[in-house]
Amino acid sequence: MTRSSLRGAMCALVFGGTLGGTLVFQSGEARADAPAAELHLGYEAPAGCPTRSDFLAALSPRIQASWVEGADTRSFDVRIRREGNAFVGRLVIGEPDQPPNTREIRGATCKAVTMSLVVFVAIALDPATAPRAEEPEVKPQEPAEPPPSPLPPPAPRTRPRKTRASPPRPPPVIWTWSSGVDAVYLRAPEPSWGARVHIELMRSHELDRIAPALRLSWGWADFSTRPEQAGKVSFRLKTARIEAGARAMFGPVRLGAFLGFDGGTMTGVAADLPRFEEIREPWRAWTGSVRAGVSVAPWLALELSGTLVMPFERPRFELQEPVRSAYKAPAVLFEGTAGIVAVARFQ
């Protein structure tokens, strides 16, 4: 269809929408001598819509018999479907060795959509709307414009100012504050049990996967030995620890690696000896830890950790009369913890 046929179709649709309440399909079969009966017309519509006979009966008064005679080999395929509370009609005009011409219309009722497609088919059959190779389309002449008035002298050229694009705003910084308590198992190498409390501060952005963190903790662990002729000797290791590291975040799971310094005292008491003294030795050590935590709520997490403790000097406790060793710290101690952590986030 040409541009003029499209304009005609739109006018017909406006006219058909204005008189939508007055258009009525004729019922019954189309007469054999009706012009529309000569068309190669395919028609499909849902139940309750006008039938193919209704479509041809509405089309015949709008076309002339001479329009469908001769070598017109075009085919017309009409399809109507329901989409929600509306109907969508589609007309495909096929012609050999030519791409198909498609029109689509949407309406509130099936009858209104069908009538619009009837108008489209009638316009397509009208010889007056068919393109003619020997008669190019005549464009309406526009009224002659008055001669232009003399232009003012051009303004002096000014160099355009270069505007610098403002840099994108960085994402906001998110601070994560956590604190918790852990049950401690220390292999010294004697089995030792205790507890440790901590606070941790982590700095990250919204899309960061890895974020730096700083951790402070204090804890203790108790163990005992039984040297010869001494009974039971009890020991307590109390330390404060500062650690720096990074955490990797994968949804509710947080993995961390930390290096730190451990400082405090180790105290030994031989309670079974008649005359005993409490012996206290300084404790300083490097630490390396790996941690894994999982969030069970936005404000609560569970955490496991493993830590290697490497003392600068290995404290040694000896008993006199006779001289015998009560304890000597190994070169490397292993510490494992399991605990619960409260979490708060703020910007």
Side-chain angles (χ1 to χ4, degrees), residues 245-335:
R247 286 191 179 273
M249 293 162 285
F250 305 94
V253 178
R254 297 192 308 165
L255 305 179
F258 293 81
L259 294 177
F261 171 77
D262 200 37
T265 59
M266 178 176 282
T267 304
V269 176
D272 294 338
L273 295 179
R275 292 179 299 173
F276 68 90
E277 295 180 358
E278 182 179 278
I279 303 175
R280 181 174 299 174
E281 293 289 337
W283 175 270
R284 295 182 299 274
W286 295 115
T287 63
S289 304
V290 291
R291 294 185 170 89
V294 58
S295 297
V296 296
W299 53 272
L300 188 65
L302 303 179
E303 186 176 72
L304 299 175
S305 73
T307 304
L308 295 180
V309 183
M310 295 159 283
F312 295 175
E313 297 179 0
R314 300 166 61 183
R316 183 170 182 171
F317 295 82
E318 293 184 344
L319 301 176
Q320 304 296 327
E321 300 178 1
V323 177
R324 53 205 184 278
S325 175
Y327 176 74
K328 182 179 181 180
V332 179
L333 293 77
F334 172 77
E335 178 186 275

Side-chain angles (χ1 to χ4, degrees), residues 21 66 75-76 121 272:
S66 59
S75 62
F76 299 85
V121 175
D272 294 338

Side-chain angles (χ1 to χ4, degrees), residues 29-52:
E29 297 293 332
R31 293 182 305 168
D33 57 347
E38 302 297 329
L39 295 176
H40 300 285
L41 178 74
Y43 183 84
E44 182 179 324
C49 290
T51 64
R52 183 177 185 276

Side-chain angles (χ1 to χ4, degrees), residues 70-295:
D72 192 344
T73 58
R74 290 180 296 175
S75 62
F76 299 85
D77 186 38
V78 176
R79 294 290 183 271
I80 301 174
R81 67 182 185 276
R82 181 191 295 271
E83 289 189 0
N85 296 328
F87 291 86
V88 178
R90 183 181 180 91
L91 170 64
V92 179
I93 303 176
E95 188 172 357
D97 302 328
Q98 295 291 334
N101 193 348
T102 304
R103 291 292 182 269
E104 191 170 284
I105 188 169
R106 180 185 297 268
T109 64
C110 186
K111 185 175 294 185
V113 172
T114 306
M115 178 54 68
S116 300
L117 295 176
V118 167
V119 175
F120 273 129
V121 175
I123 292 174
L125 293 172
D126 189 351
T129 62
R132 299 181 182 179
E134 66 276 7
E135 295 182 4
E137 182 180 357
V138 179
K139 296 183 178 180
Q141 294 184 356
E142 299 181 356
E145 297 182 356
S149 59
L151 298 176
R157 294 185 178 180
T158 58
R159 301 182 66 180
R161 294 182 180 179
K162 294 183 178 180
T163 58
R164 295 182 179 179
S166 58
R169 296 181 61 184
V173 176
I174 300 175
W175 296 93
T176 303
W177 174 273
S178 60
S179 61
V181 59
D182 302 306
V184 175
Y185 167 77
L186 180 67
R187 185 166 182 81
E190 287 77 8
S192 175
W193 298 93
R196 182 169 289 273
V197 294
H198 74 268
I199 58 174
E200 181 180 318
L201 185 63
M202 183 176 68
R203 181 183 185 274
S204 64
H205 294 93
E206 184 177 0
L207 301 179
D208 285 350
R209 288 290 187 183
I210 299 178
L214 183 67
R215 187 181 181 106
L216 300 175
S217 64
W218 179 88
W220 54 269
D222 291 336
F223 64 95
S224 61
T225 61
R226 293 185 176 274
E228 295 180 2
Q229 302 178 9
K232 179 180 178 181
V233 181
S234 301
F235 295 90
R236 169 166 285 190
L237 177 62
K238 295 190 295 184
T239 64
R241 186 178 300 169
I242 180 171
E243 299 172 274
R247 286 191 179 273
M249 293 162 285
F250 305 94
V253 178
R254 297 192 308 165
L255 305 179
F258 293 81
L259 294 177
F261 171 77
D262 200 37
T265 59
M266 178 176 282
T267 304
V269 176
D272 294 338
L273 295 179
R275 292 179 299 173
F276 68 90
E277 295 180 358
E278 182 179 278
I279 303 175
R280 181 174 299 174
E281 293 289 337
W283 175 270
R284 295 182 299 274
W286 295 115
T287 63
S289 304
V290 291
R291 294 185 170 89
V294 58
S295 297

